[in-house]
Amino acid sequence: MSVFEHSEFDGHEHVAFHQDKASGLKAIIAVHNSNLGNALGGCRMWPYLSDEEALRDVLRLSKGMTYKAAMAGLSQGGGKAVILGNPRTEKTPEKMLAMGKFIDSLSGQYISAEDSGLSVDDLKLMGKQTAYVSGIQAKYHINSEPADGNPAPSTAYGVYVGLKATVKYAMNTELKGVKVAIQGLGHVGLRLAKHLHSQGAILYVTDIHPENIEIAVNEFSAIAVKPQDIYDLDVDVFAPCAMGAILDDDNIAKLKVKVIAGAANNQLAKEAFGQLLADKGIVYAPDYVINAGGIIDIYHQSIPSSDKGLREHIEKISDTLVEIYQRAESQGIATNIIANEIAEERFGK
């Protein structure tokens, strides 16, 4: 099948494939839209089951970055990169250096940041081969802590303030006593759990790595559940913080929640499923709106700002979400469609 005919192509400006035999690197970079500026987005390393799965993921993710930047009010476009492989067993310095050369070959069309499976140190290795990496020389931090370039604290904080605002809108309550099921306890999910625990939320958690679950249980009094059981829980909020496309026919039918608000990208397997959620009375926080804290963080590292300026920009996520919910309710349209319409107006689709 031609890339141009792929169901997720959506008029991408540039899709590049690269294989470096010396290091074993296999990677894809996708640039979706640059109307608002050069494309920026994270580089993800993941053990994809097939090349097709990797291509689908990078196309969906890069498109999401275009919409995310537009909704966050940033002067940049959307792009993404994926490296095929298990980051725990197959990541090497040689692959990171080769990835830096690959990024550099696009001459700034794509600027890379950190994403799942990679660290700031990995980006610094890439930075030895290219100037087109971001988030490795951070100056600001939402909590006035030493800034190391990791955007995860800002992403988690943005999801937290967005989840809190969504619960207030949908349930007219604060977080104390609210039951939240968190799917995925990585760099963002664990930080989200900490924020929610501090506000008295009751947490149910799952992850593919037992050590992450153990941290949440011991530090945040979370209740561990099996991955396959996370959708069936009788809770108030479902917070997807792992991989995307998990909101499909089967899983939506299982959900008993009032709110979906999480950090994962591309949570809806299909755009049409947003209406299924609305029909069930579930208030869905469009993922690229609520998880924009990380890209806002990276943007602030490139402009004159402050810890306070970064924090206040991230907190605007809650206002944007409430605007989406109000418009969706008044027009009888799913929240993801309303968010798409606003974003497309901004980046001129």
Side-chain angles (χ1 to χ4, degrees):
M1 179 183 66
S2 166
V3 173
F4 296 104
E5 297 172 350
H6 196 284
S7 61
E8 301 293 345
F9 183 67
D10 193 58
H12 270 71
E13 294 177 4
H14 193 99
V15 182
F17 301 81
H18 183 67
Q19 180 174 2
D20 179 69
K21 292 184 178 180
S23 66
L25 174 73
K26 292 178 67 177
I28 309 171
I29 294 175
V31 174
H32 178 255
N33 186 283
S34 60
N35 287 355
L36 295 178
N38 287 2
L40 184 143
C43 179
R44 165 176 296 185
M45 187 171 186
W46 192 258
Y48 295 103
L49 298 178
S50 66
D51 297 349
E52 161 60 24
E53 185 181 48
L55 175 60
R56 178 175 296 276
D57 199 34
V58 76
L59 291 175
R60 286 170 60 88
L61 289 167
S62 58
K63 176 183 176 181
M65 291 303 296
T66 298
Y67 286 69
K68 184 183 299 188
M71 291 300 284
L74 308 181
S75 300
Q76 60 193 41
K80 207 77 175 184
V82 298
I83 298 173
L84 287 74
N86 189 324
R88 294 197 166 206
T89 59
E90 299 178 78
K91 184 168 60 177
T92 65
E94 291 76 18
K95 286 183 180 178
M96 297 303 101
L97 292 168
M99 188 66 198
K101 290 183 179 180
F102 180 28
I103 293 168
D104 199 63
S105 70
L106 270 66
S107 302
Q109 283 183 278
Y110 166 71
I111 301 169
S112 187
E114 178 192 357
D115 201 351
S116 302
L118 296 186
S119 67
V120 174
D121 287 339
D122 295 324
L123 279 181
K124 288 180 178 178
L125 278 175
M126 296 179 194
K128 292 183 177 182
Q129 303 292 339
T130 182
Y132 303 118
V133 292
S134 187
I136 60 175
Q137 294 180 329
K139 303 183 289 293
Y140 314 117
H141 194 285
I142 57 162
N143 296 322
S144 298
E145 298 172 6
D148 63 0
N150 182 4
S154 290
T155 303
Y157 183 66
V159 174
Y160 159 68
V161 297
L163 187 154
K164 183 177 180 180
T166 307
V167 167
K168 184 68 174 178
Y169 182 87
M171 301 172 58
N172 193 29
T173 186
E174 301 300 326
L175 290 173
K176 186 175 182 179
V178 170
K179 299 178 180 179
V180 183
I182 303 177
Q183 181 189 51
L185 295 167
H187 295 300
V188 175
L190 268 178
R191 288 179 169 89
L192 174 63
K194 183 177 181 179
H195 284 301
L196 296 175
H197 174 67
S198 71
Q199 297 299 305
I202 301 168
L203 305 180
Y204 298 77
V205 299
T206 193
D207 192 88
I208 59 175
H209 302 298
E211 62 270 26
N212 294 346
I213 295 176
E214 185 176 353
I215 293 171
V217 170
N218 292 337
E219 296 187 14
F220 312 131
S221 303
I223 300 165
V225 300
K226 296 178 180 178
Q228 65 270 25
D229 295 336
I230 197 72
Y231 302 102
D232 295 293
L233 299 177
D234 188 8
V235 296
D236 303 300
V237 180
F238 175 47
C241 296
M243 295 301 287
I246 46 84
L247 294 175
D248 56 22
D249 286 298
D250 292 337
N251 291 334
I252 290 173
K254 298 174 184 176
L255 291 172
K256 304 176 183 68
V257 300
K258 301 176 182 69
V259 165
I260 297 177
N265 288 305
N266 301 317
Q267 295 166 24
L268 296 171
K270 296 179 181 178
E271 288 284 3
F273 291 157
Q275 189 60 50
L276 285 183
L277 296 175
D279 292 343
K280 288 192 68 169
I282 298 173
V283 178
Y284 168 63
D287 46 60
Y288 61 79
V289 179
I290 195 172
N291 68 13
I295 194 174
I296 293 171
D297 184 306
I298 292 168
Y299 182 78
H300 274 256
Q301 307 307 329
S302 65
I303 64 172
S305 186
S306 64
D307 292 351
K308 181 181 178 183
L310 170 61
R311 188 182 187 94
E312 289 178 347
H313 193 161
I314 293 172
E315 289 174 347
K316 292 179 181 177
I317 288 172
S318 60
D319 296 331
T320 303
L321 286 169
V322 171
E323 177 188 352
I324 290 169
Y325 302 149
Q326 291 173 340
R327 285 179 58 168
E329 186 175 4
S330 66
Q331 298 180 32
I333 299 175
T335 57
N336 60 303
I337 301 303
I338 292 292
N340 289 349
E341 290 177 355
I342 297 173
E344 288 166 5
E345 290 170 3
R346 294 183 179 182
F347 73 80
K349 183 172 182 179

